[in-house]
Amino acid sequence: MAGRPLVSSPSRRPARPAPPELPGVVWMRAALREAEKGAAAGEVPVGAVVVSPEGKILARAHNRPVTANDPTAHAEILVLRGAARRTGNYRLTGCRLVVTLEPCPMCAGAAVVARVAEIIYGAPDPKGGAVSTLYRIASDPRLNHRAVVTPGVLAEECGGLLASFFRSRRSAPRV
Protein backbone atom coordinates (compact mmCIF):
# COMPACT_ATOMS: atom_id res chain seq x y z
CA MET A 1 0.00 0.00 0.00
CA ALA A 2 1.79 2.98 -1.27
CA GLY A 3 1.78 6.16 0.78
CA ARG A 4 0.76 4.56 4.09
CA PRO A 5 3.25 4.25 6.92
CA LEU A 6 4.12 0.71 7.92
CA VAL A 7 4.18 1.61 11.61
CA SER A 8 1.12 3.12 13.23
CA SER A 9 1.63 6.39 15.00
CA PRO A 10 1.51 6.35 18.80
CA SER A 11 -1.39 8.79 18.77
CA ARG A 12 -3.57 6.29 16.92
CA ARG A 13 -3.01 3.38 19.24
CA PRO A 14 -6.00 2.56 21.40
CA ALA A 15 -5.49 3.59 25.00
CA ARG A 16 -4.72 0.67 27.25
CA PRO A 17 -6.63 0.55 30.49
CA ALA A 18 -4.51 0.84 33.60
CA PRO A 19 -3.63 -2.59 34.97
CA PRO A 20 -5.74 -3.55 37.96
CA GLU A 21 -4.02 -3.19 41.30
CA LEU A 22 -2.84 -6.38 42.94
CA PRO A 23 -5.09 -7.51 45.80
CA GLY A 24 -2.41 -6.78 48.42
CA VAL A 25 -2.25 -3.19 47.22
CA VAL A 26 -6.04 -2.79 47.35
CA TRP A 27 -6.14 -4.21 50.88
CA MET A 28 -3.21 -2.02 51.97
CA ARG A 29 -5.05 1.06 50.70
CA ALA A 30 -7.97 0.08 52.95
CA ALA A 31 -5.53 -0.26 55.87
CA LEU A 32 -4.05 3.15 55.02
CA ARG A 33 -7.53 4.71 55.21
CA GLU A 34 -7.84 3.23 58.71
CA ALA A 35 -4.41 4.61 59.64
CA GLU A 36 -5.53 8.06 58.51
CA LYS A 37 -8.56 7.79 60.83
CA GLY A 38 -6.19 6.99 63.67
CA ALA A 39 -4.01 9.99 62.89
CA ALA A 40 -7.07 12.23 62.86
CA ALA A 41 -7.88 10.97 66.37
CA GLY A 42 -4.35 11.71 67.60
CA GLU A 43 -3.24 8.07 67.53
CA VAL A 44 -0.09 6.74 65.88
CA PRO A 45 -1.35 6.12 62.34
CA VAL A 46 -1.38 2.35 62.02
CA GLY A 47 -4.29 0.70 60.25
CA ALA A 48 -5.16 -2.92 59.60
CA VAL A 49 -7.67 -5.12 57.81
CA VAL A 50 -8.34 -8.86 57.92
CA VAL A 51 -9.14 -10.42 54.56
CA SER A 52 -11.07 -13.68 54.16
CA PRO A 53 -9.71 -16.56 52.08
CA GLU A 54 -12.13 -15.36 49.37
CA GLY A 55 -10.54 -11.90 49.35
CA LYS A 56 -13.28 -9.98 51.20
CA ILE A 57 -12.41 -7.58 54.00
CA LEU A 58 -13.88 -8.99 57.22
CA ALA A 59 -12.81 -6.25 59.64
CA ARG A 60 -11.02 -2.89 59.74
CA ALA A 61 -9.33 -1.09 62.62
CA HIS A 62 -6.79 1.56 63.54
CA ASN A 63 -4.65 2.15 66.61
CA ARG A 64 -6.61 3.20 69.71
CA PRO A 65 -4.38 2.80 72.77
CA VAL A 66 -4.57 6.50 73.69
CA THR A 67 -8.32 6.97 73.24
CA ALA A 68 -9.17 3.57 74.78
CA ASN A 69 -6.59 3.86 77.60
CA ASP A 70 -5.60 0.36 76.61
CA PRO A 71 -1.99 -0.60 75.82
CA THR A 72 -3.22 -3.61 73.83
CA ALA A 73 -5.49 -1.58 71.53
CA HIS A 74 -3.16 -1.86 68.55
CA ALA A 75 -4.79 -1.93 65.13
CA GLU A 76 -3.85 -5.59 64.65
CA ILE A 77 -5.37 -6.74 67.94
CA LEU A 78 -8.58 -4.81 67.31
CA VAL A 79 -8.94 -6.07 63.74
CA LEU A 80 -8.28 -9.69 64.76
CA ARG A 81 -10.97 -9.37 67.44
CA GLY A 82 -13.40 -7.90 64.91
CA ALA A 83 -12.76 -10.63 62.35
CA ALA A 84 -13.12 -13.34 65.01
CA ARG A 85 -16.46 -11.88 66.09
CA ARG A 86 -17.64 -11.66 62.50
CA THR A 87 -16.67 -15.25 61.66
CA GLY A 88 -17.69 -16.64 65.03
CA ASN A 89 -14.29 -18.29 65.41
CA TYR A 90 -11.03 -17.16 66.99
CA ARG A 91 -9.16 -19.19 64.40
CA LEU A 92 -8.90 -17.12 61.25
CA THR A 93 -7.56 -19.98 59.16
CA GLY A 94 -6.80 -18.91 55.60
CA CYS A 95 -7.24 -15.21 56.38
CA ARG A 96 -4.69 -12.48 55.81
CA LEU A 97 -3.71 -9.73 58.22
CA VAL A 98 -2.85 -6.56 56.29
CA VAL A 99 -1.23 -3.79 58.34
CA THR A 100 0.53 -0.54 57.50
CA LEU A 101 3.42 -1.08 59.96
CA GLU A 102 5.30 -4.28 60.70
CA PRO A 103 3.62 -5.91 63.72
CA CYS A 104 5.17 -5.73 67.19
CA PRO A 105 5.79 -8.90 69.25
CA MET A 106 2.32 -8.76 70.86
CA CYS A 107 0.54 -8.41 67.52
CA ALA A 108 2.70 -10.98 65.74
CA GLY A 109 1.94 -13.44 68.55
CA ALA A 110 -1.78 -12.72 68.28
CA ALA A 111 -1.65 -13.35 64.52
CA VAL A 112 0.02 -16.72 65.16
CA VAL A 113 -2.59 -17.65 67.78
CA ALA A 114 -5.36 -16.62 65.35
CA ARG A 115 -3.68 -18.84 62.73
CA VAL A 116 -3.74 -16.30 59.93
CA ALA A 117 -2.23 -17.63 56.72
CA GLU A 118 -0.36 -14.46 55.78
CA ILE A 119 0.80 -11.19 57.29
CA ILE A 120 1.15 -8.41 54.73
CA TYR A 121 2.71 -5.19 55.98
CA GLY A 122 3.78 -1.85 54.55
CA ALA A 123 6.58 -0.11 56.45
CA PRO A 124 9.24 -2.00 58.40
CA ASP A 125 9.61 -1.16 62.10
CA PRO A 126 13.31 -1.00 62.99
CA LYS A 127 12.52 -0.44 66.68
CA GLY A 128 9.83 -3.04 67.26
CA GLY A 129 9.18 -5.13 64.15
CA ALA A 130 8.57 -8.74 65.06
CA VAL A 131 7.90 -10.55 61.77
CA SER A 132 10.99 -9.56 59.75
CA THR A 133 13.11 -6.80 61.26
CA LEU A 134 14.01 -7.66 64.87
CA TYR A 135 12.25 -11.00 65.29
CA ARG A 136 10.59 -13.57 63.05
CA ILE A 137 7.73 -14.68 65.26
CA ALA A 138 5.36 -15.55 62.42
CA SER A 139 7.87 -17.91 60.81
CA ASP A 140 9.46 -19.39 63.94
CA PRO A 141 9.48 -23.19 63.50
CA ARG A 142 9.28 -23.69 67.29
CA LEU A 143 5.70 -22.39 67.29
CA ASN A 144 2.68 -24.48 66.40
CA HIS A 145 1.64 -22.24 63.51
CA ARG A 146 3.45 -20.13 60.98
CA ALA A 147 2.27 -17.44 58.58
CA VAL A 148 3.72 -16.29 55.30
CA VAL A 149 5.12 -12.76 55.64
CA THR A 150 4.88 -10.32 52.74
CA PRO A 151 6.74 -7.08 53.54
CA GLY A 152 6.89 -3.73 51.80
CA VAL A 153 3.45 -3.36 50.20
CA LEU A 154 3.05 0.41 49.65
CA ALA A 155 5.96 0.84 52.06
CA GLU A 156 6.68 4.43 51.00
CA GLU A 157 3.08 5.55 51.54
CA CYS A 158 2.82 3.73 54.87
CA GLY A 159 6.17 5.04 56.10
CA GLY A 160 5.38 8.53 54.81
CA LEU A 161 2.17 8.68 56.83
CA LEU A 162 4.04 7.72 59.99
CA ALA A 163 6.90 10.16 59.30
CA SER A 164 4.45 12.99 58.65
CA PHE A 165 2.56 12.23 61.87
CA PHE A 166 5.70 12.26 64.02
CA ARG A 167 7.11 15.33 62.25
CA SER A 168 3.91 17.26 63.07
CA ARG A 169 4.03 16.04 66.68
CA ARG A 170 7.62 17.22 67.09
CA SER A 171 6.87 20.65 65.61
CA ALA A 172 3.69 21.19 67.67
CA PRO A 173 4.04 23.45 70.72
CA ARG A 174 4.21 21.52 73.99
CA VAL A 175 1.50 22.25 76.47
Side-chain angles (χ1 to χ4, degrees), residues 49-52 57-60 76-92 95-96 116:
V49 298
V50 169
V51 180
S52 74
I57 293 177
L58 296 174
R60 303 163 190 264
E76 300 95 322
I77 299 296
L78 298 175
V79 80
L80 291 170
R81 287 176 183 163
R85 273 193 302 274
R86 179 150 183 210
T87 62
N89 194 336
Y90 78 97
R91 289 188 175 174
L92 300 172
C95 290
R96 293 175 178 94
V116 300

Side-chain angles (χ1 to χ4, degrees), residues 24-169:
V25 172
V26 172
W27 301 326
M28 189 61 73
R29 291 199 189 288
L32 273 164
R33 285 191 293 277
E34 285 298 314
E36 290 165 354
K37 290 178 189 176
E43 298 281 359
V44 173
V46 176
V49 298
V50 169
V51 180
S52 74
E54 298 77 32
K56 303 291 182 202
I57 293 177
L58 296 174
R60 303 163 190 264
H62 56 272
N63 266 5
R64 299 195 65 233
V66 175
T67 54
N69 290 314
D70 179 356
T72 68
H74 290 198
E76 300 95 322
I77 299 296
L78 298 175
V79 80
L80 291 170
R81 287 176 183 163
R85 273 193 302 274
R86 179 150 183 210
T87 62
N89 194 336
Y90 78 97
R91 289 188 175 174
L92 300 172
T93 307
C95 290
R96 293 175 178 94
L97 171 63
V98 182
V99 61
T100 57
L101 180 65
E102 181 181 1
C104 72
M106 174 182 68
C107 295
V112 169
V113 171
R115 290 178 170 63
V116 300
E118 184 177 14
I119 299 170
I120 301 170
Y121 72 86
D125 185 352
K127 294 182 180 178
V131 296
S132 295
T133 306
L134 297 178
Y135 307 103
R136 297 183 185 277
I137 291 173
S139 56
D140 190 323
R142 296 170 295 179
L143 300 176
N144 66 335
H145 176 75
R146 282 164 291 293
V148 172
V149 174
T150 304
V153 176
L154 298 180
E156 286 185 24
E157 287 180 52
C158 295
L161 183 59
L162 285 157
S164 173
F165 174 81
F166 286 113
R167 196 171 27 255
S168 69
R169 297 287 291 240

